[in-house]
Amino acid sequence: MRMMLLTAGTRGDVEPFAALARFAAGHGHDVRLGIPDSSGVDLSGLDTVSLEVDFHRLVAEHGISPWTAVRHFRTEVGPGMRRMLAAAVRETLAFAPDMVVHHPKVLTAPAVAQALGVPHVVVEAVPVLTPTRQFPAPGVVNRDLGRFNGATYAVARGAERMFRRDIERACATLPGGRPGTVDAPAATLLPISPQLLPRPDDWPVSVHLTGAWHPDAPVPEPDPAVREFLRGGPYLVATFGSMASGDALARGRAVVEGARAHGLRTLLLTGWGGLALPDDLQGDLRDDVLAVPSLPLDAVLPGAELAIHHGGAGTVHTVARAGVPHVVVPFLADQPFWGRQLHGLGLAAAPIPQRKLTTGRLTAAIDDALGCRAAAKRAGVDVRKERGLEAALSVLTSC
């Protein structure tokens, strides 16, 4: 089968698609992957094409605030989406696949699939499209609205109206132009562990909770300095990925001082600037802190006592797979949802919004998270048993 995979966003949006592309190609399928530029994901051995947008640059230059995105919509965000929507049509037509598998942001994917007469499958890395009564759409509302939860999913579907002209312009090259109506997806895939999100009973049968798409690849060995640090005693890992708004130095201080209050050492992954080590702590004679820009989490989490992170879907699953508890410090979008979800399952302390993070709050949260170690270890065993890529490919080949 010829599969066109199309994704949009930053690293956490690209990694699952790259894993699926590599897995499907390894099982004899002809796969092409359309991706944003500069994702930072290992794409070796994959057939890839650019979708002509760099989400990492948008985040690095303009930050993560939705208000910032609104301010730069005309000059940056809008043109980037316009290029991506057009490139998705152009590259899919050139590849002539038997199936299109796409991220929800690639709004032209359903139309080009219909023009080619092939099915399309949508991938929800975060459950924002399929309504349920059990929880509101992540990133739309941060509290349970009971019987009104289902109505919150209309917000995500409104993106198509926002980019209507760009979609029509991109689809002008299709045979017959943009279809008047577009078929529903043949299936919806959610690369999410049922250990972290039990399947809502009101989802239709076409929606598949597959488990995370984690490749069975060797974990890279950390360098000698990191290995020596990991052997030095109990430690926690802190990372906020690409989240860089606010006071990174204050957050770094809160993490280190909270860890020290519990006799823990700190592996601080500074990422894109979300965490930084204050000068006075760098000059501390104690060697209980190691700050590095980034490391493969799979290599350093299994021996950790807990992880402090922003609550992105990819990081949530990586920490869960390692079997360690969480302290979630959400910034935006779906991160508060994951923080509440993990806490409700007994795998994490109650989340601390990044604007309310203090040393005192974090110290208390670390104490709560340490009490979740047994539950996190049990969940890790179950998450590691999942075969999300196999489940996803089985659905795709049956469509």
Side-chain angles (χ1 to χ4, degrees), residues 168-214:
E168 289 177 352
R169 186 180 295 113
C171 291
T173 58
L174 295 176
R178 184 187 184 190
T181 58
V182 177
D183 294 337
T188 297
L189 300 178
L190 290 96
I192 296 172
S193 170
Q195 303 302 319
L196 306 184
L197 182 71
R199 191 185 195 280
D201 56 14
D202 56 351
W203 276 356
V205 295
S206 61
V207 176
H208 303 269
L209 193 68
T210 64
W213 297 351
H214 179 67

Side-chain angles (χ1 to χ4, degrees), residues 60-344:
E61 292 187 5
H62 304 306
I64 60 170
S65 164
W67 303 114
T68 301
V70 169
R71 286 200 302 273
H72 293 280
F73 185 88
R74 186 179 297 275
T75 59
E76 295 283 353
V77 178
M81 282 291 292
R82 194 171 303 126
R83 292 192 305 272
M84 182 191 71
L85 296 176
V89 170
R90 183 176 63 253
E91 297 294 347
T92 303
L93 288 175
F95 188 57
D98 301 312
M99 171 178 288
V100 178
V101 183
H102 65 97
H103 189 286
K105 286 192 182 80
V106 188
L107 298 167
T108 47
V112 68
Q114 184 153 318
L116 292 171
V118 302
H120 72 98
V121 173
V122 64
V123 176
E124 294 184 56
V126 179
V128 295
L129 293 182
T130 305
T132 177
R133 297 182 300 273
Q134 294 191 22
F135 51 81
V140 176
V141 176
N142 289 330
R143 62 187 181 89
D144 194 316
L145 299 181
R147 62 192 180 93
F148 297 107
N149 281 338
T152 64
Y153 291 81
V155 174
R157 295 194 296 271
E160 186 167 351
R161 294 190 294 272
M162 181 185 300
F163 293 100
R164 178 178 55 83
R165 291 182 180 178
D166 297 324
I167 296 170
E168 289 177 352
R169 186 180 295 113
C171 291
T173 58
L174 295 176
R178 184 187 184 190
T181 58
V182 177
D183 294 337
T188 297
L189 300 178
L190 290 96
I192 296 172
S193 170
Q195 303 302 319
L196 306 184
L197 182 71
R199 191 185 195 280
D201 56 14
D202 56 351
W203 276 356
V205 295
S206 61
V207 176
H208 303 269
L209 193 68
T210 64
W213 297 351
H214 179 67
D216 290 327
V219 176
E221 183 84 359
D223 65 38
V226 175
R227 292 202 302 272
E228 182 179 357
F229 180 84
L230 299 182
R231 291 193 293 264
Y235 66 93
L236 61 77
V237 177
T239 174
F240 291 149
S242 59
M243 303 293 104
S245 66
D247 190 338
L249 288 169
R251 288 196 292 266
R253 182 181 301 281
V255 169
V256 172
E257 292 181 352
R260 285 177 173 173
H262 292 279
L264 298 174
R265 301 154 71 248
T266 301
L267 180 56
L268 198 72
L269 308 184
T270 57
W272 286 24
L275 287 167
L277 191 60
D279 289 340
D280 61 314
L281 291 180
Q282 292 185 49
D284 196 318
L285 293 177
R286 287 179 284 183
D287 60 353
D288 63 346
V289 181
L290 178 63
V292 295
S294 66
L295 286 168
L297 290 177
D298 283 329
V300 297
L301 279 172
E305 297 298 310
L306 70 141
I308 301 170
H309 60 89
H310 56 296
T315 304
V316 162
H317 280 83
T318 303
V319 174
R321 189 167 54 249
V324 302
H326 317 240
V327 174
V328 178
V329 181
F331 286 65
L332 80 171
D334 60 311
Q335 297 163 9
F337 168 80
W338 289 115
R340 294 193 309 274
Q341 187 69 18
L342 293 167
H343 177 56

Side-chain angles (χ1 to χ4, degrees), residues 1-6 20-21 24-25 29-34 47 95-101 392-393 395-397:
M1 180 185 294
R2 289 171 67 82
M3 298 182 184
M4 186 74 189
L5 274 56
L6 300 164
L20 179 60
H29 299 280
D30 190 1
V31 184
R32 181 165 292 175
L33 176 61
D47 178 5
F95 188 57
D98 301 312
M99 171 178 288
V100 178
V101 183
L393 187 59
V395 173
L396 295 177
T397 54

Side-chain angles (χ1 to χ4, degrees), residues 11 14-15 18-19 22 33 35 39-46 48 217:
R11 183 173 190 138
V14 177
E15 281 182 329
R22 189 168 279 115
L33 176 61
I35 52 170
S39 69
V41 175
D42 177 15
L43 301 169
S44 57
L46 296 177
T48 63

